[in-house]
Amino acid sequence: LIQRDDDKEETVKKRLEVYRAQTLPLVNYYQTWSAQGDIAGPRYMRINGLGPVDSITNTLLNALA
C-alpha cells in the first residue's frame, strides 16, 4: 500500500481548514446576496455532487439555463 502525500490525514485537515477560512465565507456571501433578490445580484444554486456523472451534469446544465 502506498500513501500519497495528499492522502495523509494532516493534508486533508489542512484542506478543510483552508476551505473553512477562505471558500466558505465566499459561498455564504454570494448565497446571502442572491437570496436578497437583487436583480443585479448573482444567481446562487447549490448542486449536489454525489451520484452519477450524467445526472449531476444534467442538474448543472438545467441550473445554467
Side-chain angles (χ1 to χ4, degrees):
L1 177 65
I2 298 173
Q3 185 177 31
R4 301 181 331 203
D5 286 341
D6 61 344
D7 285 338
K8 293 183 180 173
E9 182 178 354
E10 302 82 35
T11 304
V12 173
K13 284 182 178 181
K14 180 64 178 172
R15 284 182 185 162
L16 289 172
E17 180 181 314
V18 169
Y19 172 81
R20 289 183 188 112
Q22 296 180 9
T23 305
L24 190 57
L26 285 174
V27 170
N28 291 336
Y29 173 80
Y30 286 109
Q31 185 178 22
T32 301
W33 186 9
S34 176
Q36 292 175 355
D38 182 353
I39 206 144
R43 284 180 30 194
Y44 177 88
M45 178 178 250
R46 184 178 177 148
I47 304 291
N48 184 346
L50 298 176
V53 173
D54 290 341
S55 176
I56 297 166
T57 301
N58 288 335
T59 301
L60 178 60
L61 292 174
N62 287 334
L64 293 173

